[in-house]
Amino acid sequence: MIELEFFFDFASQYSYLAATQIEAVAARAGATVRWRPMVLGAVFKATGNDMPARVAAKAAYMVRDVDRWAKRYGVPFRMNSHWPMPTVNAERLCLVADEQGLAAPFALVTFAATWAEDRDINQPAELARLAEAVGLDAKAALERAQAPEIKDRLRANTDEAVARGAFGAPAIFVGDQLFWGNDRLHFVEEALAAAAAR
Amino acid sequence: MIELEFFFDFASQYSYLAATQIEAVAARAGATVRWRPMVLGAVFKATGNDMPARVAAKAAYMVRDVDRWAKRYGVPFRMNSHWPMPTVNAERLCLVADEQGLAAPFALVTFAATWAEDRDINQPAELARLAEAVGLDAKAALERAQAPEIKDRLRANTDEAVARGAFGAPAIFVGDQLFWGNDRLHFVEEALAAAAAR
């Protein structure tokens, strides 16, 4: 089975856009998705990159651009009034969901909460709601999310993404090939098809 | 007649990629292309943006990414061993060609020289060759390229692009709508179709 690795941060609008499409992209190629949360701020720091929104003209453009993509995909999008909120706790909780085989549904409901429903995904009550939405025991899951091995795993995801060449989000890997952004999903599909043909 | 404005710098690989497609994109929509050279370094300075290649991981990725696009378009691409060479003289010469209605062919041969043929487009002999390739009198054109009004026109293009929201290249305008990058040409086509329907 071919595996596509999807490194993302909930704070990233382009990660949301890609997330809405990635399972279908993989399914069309007979591949599976490994959902790998990372900390985008740490990726920027490690690579010397900047968040794109630091440039005012780019930030203004991005809002319109993300909206164009959302319309193209037929998915909802609204800027989040809490953004940029910390996303590290939601990402740790995604790794807890992953221990139960629930990373994909957890990521999808959390992306929707962030970029369609204007939720503050750093609030404990919201995190509990998201955990419950995918069938987790909220209290146990939130407690587990603070375990040292979960924190380490999020750091390890981030370090691995950087070591493999990522400098932004989403960072999508097919083997050692990196693809950056939802706007490269057609290249991801080609790489999956090539991998399937080998 | 609907006009698409294509702001570019010869130093930009993504401008090259877009340039290879832009006349066909416009033609499919019954639109025309206005080729508008600008100085990308001045755009970066004015907007507080950075050249993407400043981040090492991004620079490494871009070489592969541009190569993927070139293969997709079926156009040649090789990194230029003289890059980043000054491109301001070639851009002034493009404005001279524009005075003769030859901006498009001049831009296309100059992009090919830069990103397919490894030429140093800041060398006077190469600039003369490019002028001749589109039927200009090389000596007169190179002299004209240093005229104050040509230099002013290049600065004015750059200032106008920034004033209208550009922060990188290529910057493509359909009316007041900005599209950044060859990877947004499908949105450009949609905007042209919408403009034609009005």
Side-chain angles (χ1 to χ4, degrees):
Chain A
M1 198 71 172
I2 297 160
E3 186 184 71
L4 170 167
E5 294 168 88
F6 184 68
F7 287 85
F8 64 92
D9 187 309
F10 290 121
S12 151
Q13 295 99 319
Y14 292 106
S15 291
Y16 161 65
L17 289 169
T20 66
Q21 308 300 307
I22 199 73
E23 289 284 352
V25 165
R28 282 197 288 274
T32 58
V33 180
R34 186 172 170 204
W35 292 75
R36 305 194 66 179
M38 64 177 182
V39 180
L40 184 55
V43 172
F44 286 154
K45 196 169 176 187
T47 57
N49 205 354
D50 261 318
M51 62 183 293
R54 186 188 55 79
V55 175
K58 193 184 275 193
Y61 172 80
M62 279 174 63
V63 173
R64 294 192 299 273
D65 186 56
V66 171
D67 203 52
R68 286 173 186 148
W69 282 107
K71 282 188 176 59
R72 163 159 289 236
Y73 292 155
V75 298
F77 173 75
R78 55 185 287 197
M79 264 306 292
N80 188 304
S81 61
H82 312 282
W83 185 82
M85 77 291 273
T87 52
V88 64
N89 287 308
E91 277 142 19
R92 289 171 181 156
L93 194 54
C94 187
L95 291 172
V96 174
D98 192 42
E99 294 180 321
Q100 313 289 326
L102 295 168
F106 181 85
L108 289 167
V109 298
T110 303
F111 270 123
T114 312
W115 295 115
E117 298 156 17
D118 198 31
R119 306 273 190 159
D120 181 351
I121 62 164
N122 197 42
Q123 293 302 317
E126 178 62 12
L127 289 164
R129 188 188 73 85
L130 293 165
E132 282 163 8
V134 297
L136 291 171
D137 178 293
K139 187 167 178 297
L142 265 68
E143 196 174 295
R144 172 69 184 154
Q146 299 305 316
E149 58 266 39
I150 291 291
K151 294 182 177 181
D152 287 348
R153 204 176 142 205
L154 184 57
R155 272 191 290 266
N157 272 5
T158 306
D159 293 346
E160 184 187 326
V162 169
R164 291 169 70 184
F167 50 86
I172 304 165
F173 288 90
V174 178
D176 60 1
Q177 291 178 83
L178 166 63
F179 302 89
W180 175 46
N182 74 294
D183 52 11
R184 297 302 187 267
L185 288 175
H186 55 283
F187 287 145
V188 171
E189 290 214 52
E190 287 178 1
L192 290 173
R198 272 194 292 270
Chain B
M1 197 72 173
I2 297 159
E3 187 183 71
L4 168 169
E5 293 167 271
F6 183 68
F7 287 85
F8 64 91
D9 187 308
F10 290 120
S12 149
Q13 294 100 319
Y14 292 106
S15 291
Y16 162 65
L17 289 168
T20 67
Q21 309 299 306
I22 199 75
E23 289 285 351
V25 165
R28 281 197 289 274
T32 57
V33 180
R34 185 170 170 206
W35 292 76
R36 306 194 66 181
M38 64 177 182
V39 180
L40 184 56
V43 173
F44 286 155
K45 196 169 175 188
T47 57
N49 203 354
D50 261 318
M51 62 183 292
R54 188 188 54 78
V55 175
K58 192 184 274 193
Y61 172 79
M62 278 174 62
V63 174
R64 294 192 299 274
D65 185 55
V66 171
D67 202 52
R68 286 173 185 147
W69 281 107
K71 282 188 176 59
R72 161 160 291 236
Y73 292 156
V75 299
F77 173 75
R78 54 185 289 197
M79 263 307 292
N80 188 304
S81 61
H82 312 282
W83 185 82
M85 77 291 274
T87 52
V88 65
N89 287 308
E91 277 141 20
R92 289 171 182 158
L93 195 52
C94 188
L95 291 172
V96 174
D98 192 41
E99 293 179 322
Q100 313 289 327
L102 295 169
F106 181 85
L108 288 167
V109 298
T110 303
F111 269 123
T114 312
W115 296 114
E117 298 155 17
D118 198 30
R119 305 272 190 160
D120 181 350
I121 62 163
N122 197 42
Q123 293 303 316
E126 178 63 12
L127 289 164
R129 188 187 73 83
L130 294 164
E132 283 164 7
V134 297
L136 291 171
D137 178 294
K139 188 169 176 295
L142 265 69
E143 198 174 293
R144 172 73 184 151
Q146 299 306 316
E149 59 265 40
I150 290 291
K151 293 182 177 179
D152 287 348
R153 203 174 145 206
L154 184 58
R155 271 190 292 265
N157 272 5
T158 306
D159 293 346
E160 183 186 328
V162 170
R164 292 169 70 183
F167 50 87
I172 304 165
F173 288 90
V174 178
D176 62 0
Q177 292 179 82
L178 165 64
F179 302 90
W180 173 47
N182 73 294
D183 50 11
R184 296 301 187 268
L185 288 176
H186 54 284
F187 288 145
V188 171
E189 291 214 50
E190 286 177 3
L192 290 173
R198 272 197 291 271

Short mmCIF file of all heavy atoms in Angstrom, two decimals, chain B residues 114-173:
data_model
loop_
_atom_site.label_atom_id
_atom_site.label_comp_id
_atom_site.label_asym_id
_atom_site.label_seq_id
_atom_site.Cartn_x
_atom_site.Cartn_y
_atom_site.Cartn_z
N THR B 114 17.00 33.00 -21.08
CA THR B 114 17.34 32.97 -19.66
C THR B 114 17.14 31.59 -19.05
O THR B 114 18.01 31.08 -18.33
CB THR B 114 16.47 33.99 -18.87
OG1 THR B 114 16.50 35.25 -19.56
CG2 THR B 114 16.98 34.16 -17.46
N TRP B 115 16.02 30.98 -19.33
CA TRP B 115 15.63 29.76 -18.59
C TRP B 115 15.64 28.48 -19.42
O TRP B 115 15.21 27.43 -18.95
CB TRP B 115 14.27 29.97 -17.92
CG TRP B 115 14.36 31.06 -16.88
CD1 TRP B 115 13.75 32.28 -16.91
CD2 TRP B 115 15.17 31.04 -15.69
NE1 TRP B 115 14.11 33.02 -15.82
CE2 TRP B 115 14.99 32.28 -15.04
CE3 TRP B 115 16.04 30.10 -15.11
CZ2 TRP B 115 15.64 32.61 -13.85
CZ3 TRP B 115 16.68 30.43 -13.92
CH2 TRP B 115 16.47 31.66 -13.30
N ALA B 116 16.10 28.58 -20.66
CA ALA B 116 16.28 27.35 -21.45
C ALA B 116 17.68 27.28 -22.04
O ALA B 116 18.18 26.20 -22.31
CB ALA B 116 15.23 27.28 -22.56
N GLU B 117 18.32 28.45 -22.24
CA GLU B 117 19.58 28.47 -23.00
C GLU B 117 20.77 28.99 -22.21
O GLU B 117 21.86 29.17 -22.78
CB GLU B 117 19.37 29.32 -24.26
CG GLU B 117 18.30 28.75 -25.20
CD GLU B 117 17.66 29.83 -26.10
OE1 GLU B 117 18.23 30.92 -26.23
OE2 GLU B 117 16.57 29.55 -26.65
N ASP B 118 20.56 29.21 -20.91
CA ASP B 118 21.66 29.60 -20.01
C ASP B 118 22.43 30.83 -20.48
O ASP B 118 23.65 30.92 -20.30
CB ASP B 118 22.63 28.42 -19.83
CG ASP B 118 23.52 28.60 -18.60
OD1 ASP B 118 23.06 29.25 -17.63
OD2 ASP B 118 24.67 28.12 -18.61
N ARG B 119 21.75 31.79 -21.07
CA ARG B 119 22.43 33.01 -21.53
C ARG B 119 22.50 34.04 -20.40
O ARG B 119 21.62 34.07 -19.53
CB ARG B 119 21.63 33.64 -22.68
CG ARG B 119 21.37 32.71 -23.83
CD ARG B 119 22.51 32.75 -24.82
NE ARG B 119 22.12 32.01 -26.03
CZ ARG B 119 22.71 32.17 -27.19
NH1 ARG B 119 23.72 33.01 -27.34
NH2 ARG B 119 22.32 31.47 -28.24
N ASP B 120 23.48 34.91 -20.47
CA ASP B 120 23.57 36.05 -19.56
C ASP B 120 22.92 37.24 -20.25
O ASP B 120 23.54 37.91 -21.08
CB ASP B 120 25.01 36.36 -19.20
CG ASP B 120 25.11 37.55 -18.24
OD1 ASP B 120 24.08 38.22 -18.01
OD2 ASP B 120 26.21 37.80 -17.72
N ILE B 121 21.67 37.49 -19.92
CA ILE B 121 20.90 38.52 -20.63
C ILE B 121 21.26 39.93 -20.18
O ILE B 121 20.61 40.89 -20.58
CB ILE B 121 19.37 38.30 -20.50
CG1 ILE B 121 18.93 38.37 -19.03
CG2 ILE B 121 18.95 36.97 -21.14
CD1 ILE B 121 17.42 38.56 -18.86
N ASN B 122 22.31 40.06 -19.38
CA ASN B 122 22.79 41.41 -19.07
C ASN B 122 24.00 41.80 -19.92
O ASN B 122 24.53 42.90 -19.78
CB ASN B 122 23.12 41.54 -17.58
CG ASN B 122 23.23 42.99 -17.15
OD1 ASN B 122 22.40 43.83 -17.56
ND2 ASN B 122 24.24 43.32 -16.35
N GLN B 123 24.46 40.90 -20.79
CA GLN B 123 25.60 41.21 -21.67
C GLN B 123 25.12 41.97 -22.90
O GLN B 123 24.16 41.54 -23.56
CB GLN B 123 26.29 39.91 -22.11
CG GLN B 123 26.98 39.17 -20.98
CD GLN B 123 28.03 40.02 -20.28
OE1 GLN B 123 28.81 40.72 -20.94
NE2 GLN B 123 28.01 40.00 -18.95
N PRO B 124 25.79 43.08 -23.26
CA PRO B 124 25.36 43.85 -24.43
C PRO B 124 25.24 43.01 -25.70
O PRO B 124 24.29 43.20 -26.47
CB PRO B 124 26.46 44.92 -24.56
CG PRO B 124 26.97 45.10 -23.16
CD PRO B 124 26.90 43.74 -22.53
N ALA B 125 26.17 42.08 -25.93
CA ALA B 125 26.10 41.27 -27.15
C ALA B 125 24.85 40.40 -27.15
O ALA B 125 24.20 40.20 -28.20
CB ALA B 125 27.35 40.40 -27.28
N GLU B 126 24.50 39.88 -25.98
CA GLU B 126 23.29 39.07 -25.88
C GLU B 126 22.04 39.93 -26.06
O GLU B 126 21.09 39.53 -26.74
CB GLU B 126 23.27 38.34 -24.53
CG GLU B 126 22.03 37.50 -24.27
CD GLU B 126 21.87 36.33 -25.25
OE1 GLU B 126 22.82 36.01 -26.00
OE2 GLU B 126 20.76 35.74 -25.28
N LEU B 127 22.05 41.11 -25.48
CA LEU B 127 20.91 42.02 -25.65
C LEU B 127 20.74 42.39 -27.12
O LEU B 127 19.61 42.44 -27.64
CB LEU B 127 21.12 43.29 -24.80
CG LEU B 127 20.98 43.05 -23.28
CD1 LEU B 127 21.58 44.20 -22.48
CD2 LEU B 127 19.52 42.83 -22.90
N ALA B 128 21.85 42.60 -27.81
CA ALA B 128 21.79 42.92 -29.25
C ALA B 128 21.20 41.74 -30.02
O ALA B 128 20.36 41.90 -30.91
CB ALA B 128 23.18 43.26 -29.76
N ARG B 129 21.64 40.54 -29.66
CA ARG B 129 21.13 39.34 -30.33
C ARG B 129 19.61 39.21 -30.13
O ARG B 129 18.87 38.88 -31.06
CB ARG B 129 21.83 38.09 -29.76
CG ARG B 129 21.53 36.80 -30.50
CD ARG B 129 22.12 35.58 -29.79
NE ARG B 129 21.39 35.23 -28.57
CZ ARG B 129 20.27 34.49 -28.51
NH1 ARG B 129 19.73 34.01 -29.62
NH2 ARG B 129 19.69 34.22 -27.36
N LEU B 130 19.15 39.48 -28.91
CA LEU B 130 17.72 39.37 -28.61
C LEU B 130 16.91 40.41 -29.38
O LEU B 130 15.83 40.12 -29.90
CB LEU B 130 17.48 39.51 -27.10
CG LEU B 130 18.05 38.36 -26.25
CD1 LEU B 130 18.11 38.76 -24.78
CD2 LEU B 130 17.24 37.09 -26.44
N ALA B 131 17.45 41.63 -29.47
CA ALA B 131 16.78 42.70 -30.23
C ALA B 131 16.65 42.27 -31.69
O ALA B 131 15.57 42.39 -32.30
CB ALA B 131 17.56 44.00 -30.10
N GLU B 132 17.74 41.77 -32.24
CA GLU B 132 17.72 41.34 -33.64
C GLU B 132 16.78 40.16 -33.87
O GLU B 132 16.16 40.05 -34.93
CB GLU B 132 19.14 40.98 -34.10
CG GLU B 132 19.99 42.22 -34.39
CD GLU B 132 21.48 41.92 -34.47
OE1 GLU B 132 21.87 40.73 -34.43
OE2 GLU B 132 22.25 42.89 -34.55
N ALA B 133 16.68 39.30 -32.88
CA ALA B 133 15.83 38.10 -33.01
C ALA B 133 14.37 38.47 -33.25
O ALA B 133 13.61 37.67 -33.80
CB ALA B 133 15.96 37.22 -31.77
N VAL B 134 13.97 39.66 -32.81
CA VAL B 134 12.57 40.07 -33.04
C VAL B 134 12.47 41.16 -34.09
O VAL B 134 11.42 41.79 -34.25
CB VAL B 134 11.88 40.51 -31.72
CG1 VAL B 134 11.80 39.32 -30.76
CG2 VAL B 134 12.58 41.69 -31.08
N GLY B 135 13.60 41.41 -34.81
CA GLY B 135 13.54 42.33 -35.95
C GLY B 135 13.82 43.78 -35.62
O GLY B 135 13.55 44.67 -36.44
N LEU B 136 14.35 44.03 -34.42
CA LEU B 136 14.72 45.41 -34.09
C LEU B 136 16.12 45.73 -34.61
O LEU B 136 16.95 44.82 -34.77
CB LEU B 136 14.72 45.60 -32.56
CG LEU B 136 13.36 45.55 -31.85
CD1 LEU B 136 13.56 45.54 -30.33
CD2 LEU B 136 12.50 46.74 -32.25
N ASP B 137 16.38 46.99 -34.85
CA ASP B 137 17.74 47.45 -35.12
C ASP B 137 18.47 47.46 -33.78
O ASP B 137 18.11 48.23 -32.87
CB ASP B 137 17.69 48.85 -35.73
CG ASP B 137 19.09 49.41 -35.99
OD1 ASP B 137 19.83 49.66 -34.99
OD2 ASP B 137 19.44 49.59 -37.16
N ALA B 138 19.45 46.59 -33.61
CA ALA B 138 20.05 46.37 -32.30
C ALA B 138 20.69 47.65 -31.74
O ALA B 138 20.47 48.00 -30.57
CB ALA B 138 21.08 45.25 -32.38
N LYS B 139 21.46 48.32 -32.59
CA LYS B 139 22.20 49.50 -32.08
C LYS B 139 21.21 50.58 -31.60
O LYS B 139 21.34 51.11 -30.49
CB LYS B 139 23.10 50.04 -33.20
CG LYS B 139 24.06 51.14 -32.74
CD LYS B 139 25.10 51.44 -33.81
CE LYS B 139 26.00 52.60 -33.38
NZ LYS B 139 25.28 53.87 -33.25
N ALA B 140 20.23 50.85 -32.44
CA ALA B 140 19.24 51.88 -32.08
C ALA B 140 18.43 51.47 -30.86
O ALA B 140 18.14 52.30 -29.98
CB ALA B 140 18.31 52.12 -33.27
N ALA B 141 18.08 50.20 -30.77
CA ALA B 141 17.25 49.72 -29.67
C ALA B 141 18.01 49.79 -28.34
O ALA B 141 17.46 50.23 -27.32
CB ALA B 141 16.77 48.30 -29.94
N LEU B 142 19.28 49.37 -28.36
CA LEU B 142 20.07 49.42 -27.13
C LEU B 142 20.30 50.86 -26.68
O LEU B 142 20.34 51.14 -25.47
CB LEU B 142 21.41 48.68 -27.29
CG LEU B 142 21.38 47.21 -26.81
CD1 LEU B 142 20.51 46.35 -27.71
CD2 LEU B 142 22.78 46.64 -26.67
N GLU B 143 20.43 51.75 -27.62
CA GLU B 143 20.62 53.16 -27.28
C GLU B 143 19.31 53.70 -26.67
O GLU B 143 19.32 54.35 -25.63
CB GLU B 143 20.99 53.93 -28.54
CG GLU B 143 21.61 55.29 -28.27
CD GLU B 143 22.08 55.92 -29.57
OE1 GLU B 143 23.03 55.39 -30.20
OE2 GLU B 143 21.47 56.94 -29.99
N ARG B 144 18.23 53.40 -27.34
CA ARG B 144 16.92 53.85 -26.86
C ARG B 144 16.62 53.30 -25.46
O ARG B 144 15.95 53.96 -24.65
CB ARG B 144 15.84 53.38 -27.86
CG ARG B 144 14.40 53.59 -27.44
CD ARG B 144 13.99 55.06 -27.49
NE ARG B 144 12.62 55.25 -27.00
CZ ARG B 144 12.19 56.37 -26.41
NH1 ARG B 144 12.99 57.40 -26.26
NH2 ARG B 144 10.95 56.46 -25.99
N ALA B 145 17.10 52.09 -25.18
CA ALA B 145 16.83 51.46 -23.88
C ALA B 145 17.41 52.26 -22.71
O ALA B 145 16.99 52.07 -21.57
CB ALA B 145 17.38 50.03 -23.87
N GLN B 146 18.36 53.15 -23.00
CA GLN B 146 18.94 53.97 -21.93
C GLN B 146 18.30 55.35 -21.85
O GLN B 146 18.74 56.19 -21.05
CB GLN B 146 20.46 54.10 -22.13
CG GLN B 146 21.20 52.75 -22.09
CD GLN B 146 20.92 51.94 -20.83
OE1 GLN B 146 20.91 52.48 -19.72
NE2 GLN B 146 20.66 50.65 -20.99
N ALA B 147 17.28 55.61 -22.65
CA ALA B 147 16.60 56.91 -22.62
C ALA B 147 15.88 57.09 -21.29
O ALA B 147 15.32 56.14 -20.74
CB ALA B 147 15.62 57.01 -23.78
N PRO B 148 15.89 58.32 -20.76
CA PRO B 148 15.23 58.57 -19.46
C PRO B 148 13.76 58.13 -19.45
O PRO B 148 13.30 57.60 -18.44
CB PRO B 148 15.34 60.09 -19.30
CG PRO B 148 16.52 60.48 -20.13
CD PRO B 148 16.55 59.53 -21.30
N GLU B 149 13.04 58.33 -20.55
CA GLU B 149 11.61 57.97 -20.51
C GLU B 149 11.41 56.45 -20.46
O GLU B 149 10.41 55.98 -19.91
CB GLU B 149 10.81 58.61 -21.68
CG GLU B 149 11.28 58.26 -23.05
CD GLU B 149 12.24 59.31 -23.62
OE1 GLU B 149 13.10 59.81 -22.84
OE2 GLU B 149 12.15 59.63 -24.82
N ILE B 150 12.34 55.70 -21.02
CA ILE B 150 12.24 54.24 -20.90
C ILE B 150 12.54 53.81 -19.46
O ILE B 150 11.81 52.99 -18.87
CB ILE B 150 13.21 53.56 -21.90
CG1 ILE B 150 12.74 53.75 -23.35
CG2 ILE B 150 13.39 52.07 -21.58
CD1 ILE B 150 11.46 53.01 -23.70
N LYS B 151 13.59 54.39 -18.89
CA LYS B 151 13.92 54.07 -17.48
C LYS B 151 12.74 54.45 -16.58
O LYS B 151 12.38 53.70 -15.66
CB LYS B 151 15.18 54.82 -17.06
CG LYS B 151 16.44 54.35 -17.76
CD LYS B 151 17.68 55.11 -17.27
CE LYS B 151 18.94 54.58 -17.94
NZ LYS B 151 20.17 55.28 -17.51
N ASP B 152 12.15 55.61 -16.84
CA ASP B 152 11.00 56.04 -16.04
C ASP B 152 9.82 55.08 -16.20
O ASP B 152 9.09 54.81 -15.24
CB ASP B 152 10.54 57.45 -16.47
CG ASP B 152 11.51 58.53 -16.00
OD1 ASP B 152 12.39 58.21 -15.17
OD2 ASP B 152 11.40 59.67 -16.48
N ARG B 153 9.64 54.60 -17.42
CA ARG B 153 8.49 53.72 -17.67
C ARG B 153 8.64 52.40 -16.92
O ARG B 153 7.66 51.85 -16.41
CB ARG B 153 8.36 53.47 -19.19
CG ARG B 153 6.97 53.06 -19.60
CD ARG B 153 6.82 52.96 -21.12
NE ARG B 153 5.92 51.87 -21.44
CZ ARG B 153 5.92 51.18 -22.58
NH1 ARG B 153 6.80 51.46 -23.55
NH2 ARG B 153 5.07 50.19 -22.76
N LEU B 154 9.87 51.89 -16.82
CA LEU B 154 10.10 50.66 -16.06
C LEU B 154 9.82 50.90 -14.58
O LEU B 154 9.17 50.07 -13.91
CB LEU B 154 11.52 50.14 -16.28
CG LEU B 154 11.85 48.81 -15.62
CD1 LEU B 154 10.91 47.70 -16.07
CD2 LEU B 154 13.31 48.41 -15.88
N ARG B 155 10.32 52.03 -14.07
CA ARG B 155 10.03 52.37 -12.66
C ARG B 155 8.53 52.53 -12.44
O ARG B 155 7.99 52.08 -11.43
CB ARG B 155 10.75 53.68 -12.27
CG ARG B 155 12.16 53.44 -11.74
CD ARG B 155 12.73 54.74 -11.14
NE ARG B 155 12.97 55.75 -12.17
CZ ARG B 155 14.16 55.93 -12.76
NH1 ARG B 155 15.20 55.19 -12.42
NH2 ARG B 155 14.31 56.86 -13.69
N ALA B 156 7.85 53.15 -13.41
CA ALA B 156 6.40 53.37 -13.27
C ALA B 156 5.65 52.04 -13.27
O ALA B 156 4.69 51.86 -12.51
CB ALA B 156 5.91 54.28 -14.39
N ASN B 157 6.05 51.11 -14.14
CA ASN B 157 5.43 49.77 -14.13
C ASN B 157 5.56 49.15 -12.74
O ASN B 157 4.60 48.59 -12.20
CB ASN B 157 6.13 48.85 -15.14
CG ASN B 157 5.53 48.94 -16.53
OD1 ASN B 157 4.65 49.75 -16.79
ND2 ASN B 157 6.02 48.10 -17.43
N THR B 158 6.77 49.23 -12.19
CA THR B 158 7.06 48.62 -10.89
C THR B 158 6.22 49.27 -9.80
O THR B 158 5.57 48.58 -8.99
CB THR B 158 8.56 48.77 -10.58
OG1 THR B 158 9.31 48.23 -11.67
CG2 THR B 158 8.93 48.04 -9.30
N ASP B 159 6.21 50.59 -9.79
CA ASP B 159 5.43 51.32 -8.77
C ASP B 159 3.95 51.00 -8.90
O ASP B 159 3.25 50.83 -7.89
CB ASP B 159 5.64 52.83 -8.93
CG ASP B 159 7.07 53.25 -8.59
OD1 ASP B 159 7.81 52.44 -8.00
OD2 ASP B 159 7.43 54.40 -8.93
N GLU B 160 3.47 50.93 -10.14
CA GLU B 160 2.05 50.65 -10.33
C GLU B 160 1.69 49.24 -9.85
O GLU B 160 0.66 49.04 -9.21
CB GLU B 160 1.68 50.80 -11.81
CG GLU B 160 0.18 50.58 -12.05
CD GLU B 160 -0.20 50.59 -13.53
OE1 GLU B 160 0.44 51.29 -14.33
OE2 GLU B 160 -1.14 49.84 -13.87
N ALA B 161 2.55 48.27 -10.15
CA ALA B 161 2.29 46.89 -9.70
C ALA B 161 2.16 46.85 -8.18
O ALA B 161 1.24 46.25 -7.63
CB ALA B 161 3.39 45.96 -10.19
N VAL B 162 3.09 47.52 -7.50
CA VAL B 162 3.06 47.55 -6.03
C VAL B 162 1.80 48.25 -5.54
O VAL B 162 1.12 47.77 -4.62
CB VAL B 162 4.33 48.24 -5.48
CG1 VAL B 162 4.20 48.51 -3.99
CG2 VAL B 162 5.56 47.38 -5.76
N ALA B 163 1.48 49.39 -6.17
CA ALA B 163 0.29 50.16 -5.74
C ALA B 163 -0.98 49.34 -5.90
O ALA B 163 -1.94 49.51 -5.14
CB ALA B 163 0.20 51.45 -6.55
N ARG B 164 -0.98 48.42 -6.88
CA ARG B 164 -2.18 47.60 -7.12
C ARG B 164 -2.16 46.30 -6.34
O ARG B 164 -3.04 45.46 -6.52
CB ARG B 164 -2.32 47.34 -8.63
CG ARG B 164 -2.65 48.62 -9.40
CD ARG B 164 -2.53 48.43 -10.90
NE ARG B 164 -3.59 47.57 -11.43
CZ ARG B 164 -3.65 47.21 -12.72
NH1 ARG B 164 -2.72 47.63 -13.58
NH2 ARG B 164 -4.63 46.43 -13.14
N GLY B 165 -1.14 46.08 -5.51
CA GLY B 165 -1.16 44.94 -4.61
C GLY B 165 -0.15 43.84 -4.88
O GLY B 165 -0.10 42.85 -4.14
N ALA B 166 0.67 44.00 -5.91
CA ALA B 166 1.65 42.95 -6.22
C ALA B 166 2.74 42.91 -5.15
O ALA B 166 3.11 43.94 -4.59
CB ALA B 166 2.28 43.18 -7.59
N PHE B 167 3.26 41.72 -4.88
CA PHE B 167 4.34 41.53 -3.89
C PHE B 167 5.35 40.51 -4.40
O PHE B 167 6.32 40.20 -3.73
CB PHE B 167 3.76 41.07 -2.55
CG PHE B 167 2.82 39.91 -2.70
CD1 PHE B 167 3.30 38.62 -2.72
CD2 PHE B 167 1.46 40.11 -2.89
CE1 PHE B 167 2.43 37.55 -2.89
CE2 PHE B 167 0.58 39.06 -3.07
CZ PHE B 167 1.07 37.77 -3.07
N GLY B 168 5.11 39.96 -5.60
CA GLY B 168 6.00 38.98 -6.19
C GLY B 168 5.72 38.89 -7.67
O GLY B 168 4.94 39.68 -8.21
N ALA B 169 6.34 37.90 -8.34
CA ALA B 169 6.18 37.77 -9.79
C ALA B 169 5.97 36.30 -10.18
O ALA B 169 6.53 35.43 -9.52
CB ALA B 169 7.41 38.32 -10.50
N PRO B 170 5.20 36.05 -11.23
CA PRO B 170 4.47 37.03 -12.00
C PRO B 170 3.24 37.53 -11.25
O PRO B 170 2.66 36.80 -10.44
CB PRO B 170 4.03 36.24 -13.24
CG PRO B 170 3.84 34.85 -12.73
CD PRO B 170 4.95 34.68 -11.72
N ALA B 171 2.86 38.78 -11.53
CA ALA B 171 1.63 39.36 -10.99
C ALA B 171 0.71 39.62 -12.17
O ALA B 171 1.05 40.40 -13.06
CB ALA B 171 1.93 40.65 -10.23
N ILE B 172 -0.40 38.94 -12.18
CA ILE B 172 -1.31 38.98 -13.33
C ILE B 172 -2.58 39.68 -12.90
O ILE B 172 -3.16 39.33 -11.87
CB ILE B 172 -1.61 37.54 -13.82
CG1 ILE B 172 -0.29 36.81 -14.13
CG2 ILE B 172 -2.53 37.57 -15.04
CD1 ILE B 172 -0.44 35.31 -14.26
N PHE B 173 -2.98 40.68 -13.67
CA PHE B 173 -4.21 41.42 -13.34
C PHE B 173 -5.26 41.22 -14.41
O PHE B 173 -4.98 41.32 -15.60
CB PHE B 173 -3.93 42.92 -13.20
CG PHE B 173 -3.17 43.29 -11.96
CD1 PHE B 173 -1.79 43.34 -11.96
CD2 PHE B 173 -3.84 43.57 -10.77
CE1 PHE B 173 -1.08 43.66 -10.81
CE2 PHE B 173 -3.15 43.89 -9.61
CZ PHE B 173 -1.76 43.94 -9.63
#
